[in-house]
Amino acid sequence: GVVYNYNEEGIHRAETGWEQCISIPLVQPDMFGLLQQWDTLLEEFSVGEAWLPHRYEEHDHNCYTYALAFINSVLTAQGKQQMSKSEFTEKFVIPQTKKASKYITLHQELTANDFYIVPLPDQEKQC
């Protein structure tokens, strides 16, 4: 897909360069209608004056602020309560970061000790 991000140069849309990022699922599977609108909502949100390059500030108005503000705009449109920075971090960011950390540690240990992983044969082929 396309990754939207915000930095000192403004809003960027990239199809490559994010292969090493962590994807955090935010939309429940039963909210298919929202998934269909997500790209349009994100594009409309991104053209706002709040995300012009000169407004970028490394600590207080950055890519994290951009992502959380977009999520909160969707929550508001749904009539739901907005999330604080700490609530978003605790509910979504930290759990995914912990999973990634465990995976990276396991991968490093396996690689350092000359192990490799092979897929198991399909059950159908064993019968």
Side-chain angles (χ1 to χ4, degrees), residues 4-62:
Y4 283 67
N5 62 85
Y6 173 67
N7 64 18
E8 62 277 348
E9 297 172 2
I11 298 293
H12 301 275
R13 293 153 192 87
E15 293 184 22
T16 60
W18 290 85
E19 294 79 12
Q20 299 291 317
C21 73
I22 298 173
S23 175
I24 300 175
L26 299 171
V27 179
Q28 304 292 330
D30 62 339
M31 301 181 79
F32 186 72
L34 179 57
L35 283 173
Q36 296 292 79
Q37 298 174 347
W38 193 266
D39 290 341
T40 303
L41 294 171
L42 187 52
E43 185 61 36
E44 289 171 0
F45 177 81
S46 297
V47 297
E49 287 190 29
W51 312 113
L52 292 174
H54 71 278
R55 295 191 183 260
Y56 181 85
E57 204 285 314
E58 186 176 353
H59 298 287
D60 296 317
H61 195 76
N62 52 35

Side-chain angles (χ1 to χ4, degrees), residues 52-109:
L52 292 174
H54 71 278
R55 295 191 183 260
Y56 181 85
E57 204 285 314
E58 186 176 353
H59 298 287
D60 296 317
H61 195 76
N62 52 35
C63 197
Y64 195 91
T65 309
Y66 167 75
L68 182 57
F70 172 68
I71 292 163
N72 280 332
S73 74
V74 172
L75 290 172
T76 299
Q78 293 178 314
K80 296 180 179 177
Q81 185 175 351
Q82 292 189 354
M83 281 190 278
S84 68
K85 196 177 223 179
S86 61
E87 181 182 9
F88 177 67
T89 302
E90 289 173 24
K91 279 186 169 180
F92 294 97
V93 177
I94 291 175
Q96 295 297 330
T97 305
K98 284 182 178 180
K99 284 181 189 177
S101 176
K102 288 178 184 179
Y103 175 81
I104 291 167
T105 301
L106 178 61
H107 182 269
Q108 289 171 338
E109 286 296 317

